[in-house]
Amino acid sequence: MRFIILLRGVNVGGKNRVPMGEFKEYLVNAGFTNVKSHINSGNLIVDSEEDTEQDVLAKCQKILSEHFDFPVEVLVLSAEKYQAELADSPAWWGAEEGYRHNALFLLPSADKEKIIELLAAIDTPYERIHIGKHAVFWSSSFQKNYSKTHYSKLASRPYYKQVTIRNRNTTLKLLSFLEEQSKEDK
């Protein structure tokens, strides 16, 4: 089975340094195969014959706690769940020029009901939000009226630490890796 691993807040601004080459090595030593990473911000794909999402999560948490002296939140999704989530993304996500298009993946610690409640109250002409099963798809004005968006104040929101954010390009690149590997497997 194939899994996506998303690490929250690593290698950003020189903080919480988790070298992807090292982390990939630890994953291989833990029994994962076809380990691939994309950019240095904690985006990985692994295969495992016998592990469940919970098993992969537990192994990642163990590796991180044994080798790094700061906490790192981890989200693990099966390839099928990731692909289904993106298949259900709204058509407007990525369509508008001058907008920032992000996916906020809900971490295992997320209070999804509270996040839905807070995000449902957002109603501005400068952004759109779609809440999926595992991610929030959020497009917001970036060039014009950015300061009027809720997204511009995201870091101060209570749910900010309950998500790991990927821009649309990274989100779609991970999807393309999954699709390429699926073709190679056949």
Side-chain angles (χ1 to χ4, degrees):
M1 183 174 252
R2 189 157 288 139
F3 301 94
I4 293 275
I5 300 169
L6 301 176
L7 307 180
R8 183 187 188 282
V10 300
N11 305 329
V12 180
K15 295 183 179 179
N16 298 338
R17 192 161 137 40
V18 177
M20 287 300 104
E22 283 180 40
F23 190 63
K24 285 169 55 177
E25 217 173 286
Y26 298 139
L27 291 170
V28 169
N29 292 339
F32 296 107
T33 58
N34 297 321
V35 178
K36 182 174 189 134
S37 66
H38 174 63
I39 62 177
N40 204 32
S41 57
N43 310 293
L44 300 111
I45 298 173
V46 300
D47 286 348
S48 176
E49 291 292 320
E50 52 211 42
D51 289 319
T52 66
E53 283 179 7
Q54 282 305 112
D55 296 333
V56 176
L57 177 62
K59 286 181 180 181
C60 287
Q61 289 170 329
K62 183 175 190 245
I63 290 168
L64 289 163
S65 68
E66 287 177 353
H67 297 282
F68 302 96
D69 62 354
F70 48 85
V72 178
E73 288 253 22
V74 181
L75 173 67
V76 176
L77 289 174
S78 68
E80 291 79 18
K81 284 183 182 177
Y82 190 86
Q83 290 167 317
E85 188 73 11
L86 287 217
D88 289 337
S89 66
W92 50 258
W93 188 63
E96 202 157 341
E97 294 258 345
Y99 269 54
R100 174 178 279 174
H101 306 283
N102 291 301
L104 287 67
F105 290 91
L106 303 169
L107 294 166
S109 62
D111 181 347
K112 187 174 179 181
E113 289 179 21
K114 186 67 173 171
I115 292 172
I116 290 169
E117 179 185 319
L118 293 168
L119 295 179
I122 295 174
D123 184 23
T124 74
Y126 311 110
E127 57 203 324
R128 296 179 85 172
I129 298 169
H130 169 80
I131 302 166
K133 288 183 180 179
H134 306 286
V136 175
F137 296 93
W138 196 328
S139 293
S140 66
S141 176
F142 183 59
Q143 297 168 346
K144 189 176 179 185
N145 298 310
Y146 181 67
S147 64
K148 295 177 183 177
T149 67
H150 286 266
Y151 192 86
S152 69
K153 298 159 191 71
L154 183 63
S156 67
R157 302 294 184 222
Y159 51 84
Y160 177 68
K161 292 191 177 191
Q162 297 179 38
V163 298
T164 185
I165 303 169
R166 299 300 185 273
N167 67 36
R168 185 171 190 272
N169 289 341
T170 298
T171 304
L172 294 179
K173 188 65 173 179
L174 292 171
L175 180 64
S176 75
F177 288 155
L178 290 175
E179 291 168 349
E180 288 169 16
Q181 285 185 304
S182 292
K183 287 178 188 173
E184 290 173 13
D185 292 344
K186 291 180 180 179

